[in-house]
Amino acid sequence: LMNGKVVGGVRVVLDSNAGLHADEFYDFAPAARAGELRASVGHFCILEKYRSPQVATALMLMLCYYGCSHNAAWILAPVNPAIGRMLQRIGFKKAGPAFETPGITVKVLPMTLDVRELQDNFIDFLRRNDLYNFLRSYECLVFSSDEMIVRAGETGDRAYIILEGEAKVLRPGD
């Protein structure tokens, strides 16, 4: 989203008994270890006015996050060769040469990503989003500077994570 407007998208599908969209284009079996969960990427698109490395990278971050958060070990991508270099900078590898396929006007380049080999900036993004999603699942409380949160000797029934600010720990006699 930019200024509330959708400017691009990518479709990510997790493997199932029905197979993956990517399997229709290429046999990824030799490139992705058997028995590990796979995700397929397709329909990577960005409105022409907004095409930039930053927007493309943001979409790739989100698809990697989605795949990793659903325990996919591999992301399979039959893509336009024009974005092959960008995907290689992220960690995708060519699974084979580009080829022509009926009904598609450009060649298709089969690429794979072993999510265990993600680049550091993507790992950082995934960790930040995992923390955000973890924190979002909890109740958020705001305390004033003079408010007591817990009292020594009382049995606790909560745990607190300080997101912003600080807290003093005082003991009787302090």
Side-chain angles (χ1 to χ4, degrees), residues 139-155:
E139 179 181 6
C140 182
L141 301 171
V142 177
F143 297 96
S144 63
S145 61
D146 61 343
E147 193 171 353
M148 185 171 303
I149 299 171
V150 296
R151 184 177 308 278
E154 291 182 356
T155 302

Side-chain angles (χ1 to χ4, degrees), residues 27-88:
D27 179 11
F28 284 96
R33 290 183 208 116
E36 295 181 320
L37 185 62
R38 307 172 311 151
S40 174
V41 177
H43 301 288
F44 181 81
C45 59
I46 302 171
L47 291 175
E48 192 168 0
K49 176 181 173 183
Y50 297 96
R51 288 183 187 159
S52 70
Q54 294 82 8
V55 173
T57 300
L59 283 171
M60 297 310 296
L61 283 167
M62 293 311 300
L63 87 84
C64 289
Y65 177 74
Y66 181 84
C68 289
S69 66
H70 287 83
N71 299 315
W74 293 92
I75 297 176
L76 314 178
V79 301
N80 180 335
I83 67 167
R85 280 196 181 133
M86 179 199 67
L87 294 177
Q88 284 177 315

Side-chain angles (χ1 to χ4, degrees), residues 9-128:
V10 61
R11 179 180 72 179
V12 184
V13 178
L14 294 174
D15 209 350
S16 71
N17 292 337
L20 292 170
H21 177 71
D23 293 330
E24 294 177 27
F25 293 98
Y26 188 78
D27 179 11
F28 284 96
R33 290 183 208 116
E36 295 181 320
L37 185 62
R38 307 172 311 151
S40 174
V41 177
H43 301 288
F44 181 81
C45 59
I46 302 171
L47 291 175
E48 192 168 0
K49 176 181 173 183
Y50 297 96
R51 288 183 187 159
S52 70
Q54 294 82 8
V55 173
T57 300
L59 283 171
M60 297 310 296
L61 283 167
M62 293 311 300
L63 87 84
C64 289
Y65 177 74
Y66 181 84
C68 289
S69 66
H70 287 83
N71 299 315
W74 293 92
I75 297 176
L76 314 178
V79 301
N80 180 335
I83 67 167
R85 280 196 181 133
M86 179 199 67
L87 294 177
Q88 284 177 315
R89 285 192 297 271
I90 295 165
F92 278 85
K93 295 180 179 159
K94 292 180 184 177
F99 59 91
E100 292 183 4
T101 190
I104 298 179
T105 57
V106 297
K107 286 188 172 186
V108 174
L109 177 63
M111 300 191 81
T112 61
L113 174 68
D114 181 341
V115 299
R116 294 159 290 211
E117 295 177 6
L118 279 171
Q119 307 268 334
D120 287 344
N121 60 331
F122 284 87
I123 297 296
D124 291 343
F125 174 85
L126 295 173
R127 286 185 182 133
R128 283 192 310 273

